[in-house]
Amino acid sequence: MQRLALIAVPYAWLLALFLIPFVIVFKISLSDIALAIPPYTPTLKDGFGPFFSALDFENFAFLASDDLYWRAYVSSLRIALVSTFLTLLVGYPIAYAMARAPEEWRPTLMMLVILPFWTSFLIRVYAWMGILSQEGFLNQFLLWTGVISTPLTILNTNTAVYIGIIYTYVPFMILPIFAALDRLDGSLIEAAEDLGCSRFQAFWLVTIPLSKNGIIAGSFLVFIPALGEFVIPSLLGGSGTLMIGKVLWEEFFNNRDWPVASAVAVILLLILIIPIILFQRNQQRQAEDEA
Amino acid sequence: MNRLSWFNVTSLTLGFAFLYLPMVILIIYSFNESKLVTVWAGFSTRWYGELIQNEAFLDAAWVTIKVAVTSSTLATVLGTMAAYVLVRGGRFLGRTLFSGMIYAPLVMPEVITGLSLLLLFIGIGLDRGVLTIVLAHTTFSMCYVSVVVSSRLMTFDRSLEEAALDLGCSGFDAFRLVTLPIIAPAVISGWLLAFTLSLDDLVIASFTAGPSATTLPIKIFSAVRLGVSPEINALSTIMIGIVTVGVISASLVSKQNSLRQQRDEQAAARTA
């Protein structure tokens, strides 16, 4: 009895507030827009027969035919891929140096990496608006040092979006790589060097392969949220920045086209399923390796 | 092995400068006298004064705190239950679906979670306001709580629970008197995580909040969309300050606790 209640309460909660909402999104993605409340048709009030016969794939056909959506999906994928790679380039040296730091420093360094994660995401993105704008801190600094003579336009471009994604997600890259490097047995690298490897060769042939799991985990942890990102492209990106999270938001709040917004969500979900499954597999394999 | 080459020192310095400089600059400029946020015109706490008098922000802050406290408490209860079911529940019908529903929200884009919950609330005719934000926040943060708590439950010595049951405890008493005190640190960090996630959330709250309830992130977002503002700098500085003090004191407390535990264990080993 007790066990049943223990299972039933969280189960029912998740069914009602996680699974059923998705079924509704899927259903509305097959509906038509209507000038009514709620602004789509059919609803279950029409009865079961007409309800099912009125559902169709029209919204998906619309998404496929309008190249705005295509370009938004492609450009989200590109931005997410490029920024994942850049985050790896920024995060790896930090994780590497943390793992080489004296042992008593490491907990403090870890805390310094985690601390920004507890600070508001919105504020961390906002902080860059003041730095990257035309008369912002970065431009003032570069003009003062004489590196540039006219201010750079960075805010409201894709460059700003990349900087924003790297900045907010780099802790997710650092932590798994650090965890992998921290466990790495230093004598392996010494052995490689004794056997004639240069430092760089030892790094490339020993350290990188042994931190592979951390690199993969970190990359997924950056790529998956970056793909559906909304706050960063809408604050740092410009009108030319196409990202699917932003398109969905605008379709819903500005155009009030719920069926199309739902279809956009369904496709985004389908795209995300592949990296999510790959990520789960990687985590499982890692857990098995450790066991 | 522990040599810090110039390369490592440089990457640590540059890396942490990259992580912290933007926030430092934000904090410095929050004390700027000028309304023009990028021109330094002398030290002043003027924007903090204006912030305290801004009732819209104060109202939003109050709503945010109410939502965060309620949803993180609910999420902690539900998430701990879910973790217990996952780790100790054994086999039951639909277990795979259950664990899927626990892990899926962690990787779900916020826009999709927000949209789907909004469509549910409209479908069942629930007025959007504080209640709907609480329901939404509880749902995604209970998943984070259950991940944190279940990792603690997995490393937990089960024989302690069995001993309590053998000595005549009921299942619930064994949980209350043995399991809960041992997993308490994980439950507390789960609550803290849920609390910060709720404080922080913009996207899901924007979908599920109605005109009657605005949270602080919604308010900040609509203000900063138009550009940088000194009042938001002041507000951000206050929020960064609270979080920093909170995280540092929490880590000091947990460090002290683990030191005490070590001492106790050593003392126990000596007397045994």
Side-chain angles (χ1 to χ4, degrees):
Chain A
M1 196 50 224
Q2 243 178 20
R3 177 167 179 269
L4 191 70
L6 192 64
I7 297 174
V9 174
Y11 210 131
W13 184 286
L14 287 172
L15 279 179
L17 287 153
F18 183 74
L19 199 65
I20 292 176
F22 276 103
V23 177
I24 298 176
V25 169
F26 189 65
K27 184 254 142 186
I28 292 177
S29 75
L30 302 174
S31 306
D32 294 324
I33 188 165
L35 280 173
I37 295 170
Y40 51 84
T41 179
T43 57
L44 272 177
K45 283 189 211 104
D46 305 331
F48 272 101
F51 173 78
F52 282 106
S53 59
L55 297 175
D56 53 45
F57 287 94
E58 211 179 311
N59 296 310
F60 291 94
F62 171 67
L63 291 191
S65 66
D66 190 331
D67 75 324
L68 165 78
Y69 300 100
W70 270 117
R71 282 189 291 130
Y73 283 114
V74 172
S75 126
S76 300
L77 278 171
R78 198 183 50 229
I79 291 177
L81 272 175
V82 172
S83 45
T84 304
F85 180 70
L86 293 174
T87 311
L88 177 62
L89 287 187
V90 172
Y92 200 98
I94 302 176
Y96 183 83
M98 279 170 65
R100 291 284 165 285
E103 197 136 8
E104 63 272 19
W105 291 13
R106 288 183 210 166
T108 314
L109 292 174
M110 277 266 281
M111 204 183 81
L112 283 173
V113 172
I114 298 170
L115 188 62
F117 170 78
W118 292 90
T119 347
S120 166
F121 183 82
L122 187 58
I123 290 175
R124 279 183 292 149
V125 176
Y126 165 71
W128 282 95
M129 291 176 71
I131 297 173
L132 298 177
S133 68
Q134 276 285 278
E135 64 283 355
F137 191 82
L138 183 68
N139 270 321
Q140 284 183 9
F141 179 74
L142 292 177
L143 286 170
W144 177 73
T145 53
V147 178
I148 53 168
S149 52
T150 47
L152 302 167
T153 312
I154 307 175
L155 190 65
N156 303 329
T157 65
N158 282 358
T159 315
V161 175
Y162 289 130
I163 295 175
I165 295 179
I166 297 170
Y167 179 69
T168 44
Y169 291 118
V170 79
F172 292 112
M173 186 66 88
I174 296 176
L175 292 174
I177 296 177
F178 170 72
L181 289 174
D182 197 32
R183 276 197 301 263
L184 193 119
D185 185 354
S187 56
L188 292 173
I189 295 161
E190 279 165 28
E193 285 179 17
D194 287 347
L195 293 169
C197 272
S198 71
R199 258 216 201 155
F200 180 75
Q201 276 174 321
F203 174 75
W204 189 249
L205 295 173
V206 179
T207 313
I208 293 269
L210 286 175
S211 56
K212 195 186 76 194
N213 280 338
I215 296 176
I216 296 174
S219 301
F220 279 121
L221 286 176
V222 175
F223 178 79
I224 294 170
L227 191 64
E229 187 52 56
F230 165 73
V231 177
I232 297 172
S234 61
L235 287 184
L236 301 179
S239 49
T241 309
L242 264 181
M243 282 194 83
I244 206 65
K246 210 175 129 195
V247 169
L248 193 157
W249 178 285
E250 279 161 7
E251 206 59 69
F252 189 86
F253 285 105
N254 303 352
N255 301 348
R256 310 212 121 266
D257 192 336
W258 295 14
V260 167
S262 304
V264 169
V266 169
I267 296 189
L268 174 57
L269 208 59
L270 289 178
I271 296 176
L272 273 172
I273 282 176
I274 303 161
I276 288 172
I277 289 174
L278 289 175
F279 175 65
Q280 292 283 14
R281 277 225 195 115
N282 180 59
Q283 294 302 92
Q284 257 166 18
R285 202 171 335 122
Q286 210 174 324
E288 279 159 20
D289 284 353
E290 273 160 31
Chain B
M1 199 57 232
N2 284 337
R3 59 184 182 222
L4 261 184
S5 66
W6 64 268
F7 177 79
N8 289 340
V9 173
T10 322
S11 29
L12 278 184
T13 320
L14 286 180
F16 284 104
F18 175 63
L19 279 178
Y20 283 92
L21 259 187
M23 284 190 267
V24 171
I25 293 171
L26 182 80
I27 291 169
I28 293 172
Y29 274 88
S30 76
F31 294 104
N32 187 4
E33 167 72 40
S34 165
K35 176 134 193 92
L36 295 166
V37 272
T38 48
V39 182
W40 184 256
F43 180 86
S44 138
T45 51
R46 168 183 165 196
W47 303 110
Y48 290 86
E50 298 208 357
L51 188 69
I52 297 170
Q53 278 154 22
N54 189 331
E55 290 217 359
F57 275 121
L58 291 180
D59 285 347
W62 179 232
V63 170
T64 313
I65 289 171
K66 271 195 295 193
V67 167
V69 170
T70 330
S71 71
S72 56
T73 308
L74 272 173
T76 306
V77 175
L78 287 166
T80 308
M81 285 170 88
Y84 202 79
V85 169
L86 278 179
V87 179
R88 296 274 198 279
R91 302 173 73 83
F92 57 91
L93 194 68
R95 193 183 192 285
T96 320
L97 176 67
F98 185 70
S99 71
M101 288 194 299
I102 290 288
Y103 288 104
L106 306 178
V107 287
M108 195 59 64
E110 290 171 313
V111 278
I112 298 186
T113 313
L115 177 72
S116 68
L117 282 164
L118 170 63
L119 294 177
L120 171 80
F121 294 144
I122 288 179
I124 59 173
L126 194 60
D127 271 343
R128 281 178 289 151
V130 173
L131 175 67
T132 48
I133 314 175
V134 168
L135 289 176
H137 282 184
T138 306
T139 307
F140 76 83
S141 39
M142 72 176 272
C143 302
Y144 284 89
V145 173
S146 103
V147 169
V148 172
V149 173
S150 61
S151 68
R152 181 71 190 94
L153 274 174
M154 271 185 249
T155 57
F156 170 101
D157 184 359
R158 222 179 153 171
S159 56
L160 293 172
E161 268 170 16
E162 281 158 7
L165 291 172
D166 285 348
L167 293 169
C169 268
S170 70
F172 181 70
D173 276 345
F175 177 78
R176 189 171 56 95
L177 296 170
V178 178
T179 316
L180 198 57
I182 295 178
I183 62 169
V187 175
I188 293 169
S189 38
W191 187 89
L192 282 173
L193 185 60
F195 185 78
T196 13
L197 286 169
S198 170
L199 277 192
D200 207 18
D201 169 61
L202 163 74
V203 176
I204 294 170
S206 300
F207 277 99
T208 51
S212 64
T214 307
T215 66
L216 207 50
I218 299 179
K219 202 85 201 144
I220 295 176
F221 183 69
S222 60
V224 303
R225 257 197 156 167
L226 309 169
V228 181
S229 101
E231 260 183 319
I232 300 290
N233 286 351
L235 180 60
S236 307
T237 304
I238 295 175
M239 288 168 78
I240 292 172
I242 293 172
V243 167
T244 312
V245 171
V247 171
I248 290 176
S249 44
S251 72
L252 286 180
V253 167
S254 82
K255 198 173 173 186
Q256 235 164 24
N257 278 344
S258 69
L259 280 179
R260 193 182 312 139
Q261 206 176 339
Q262 254 174 21
R263 256 205 321 269
D264 289 351
E265 275 165 17
Q266 277 164 2
R270 241 177 283 128
T271 49

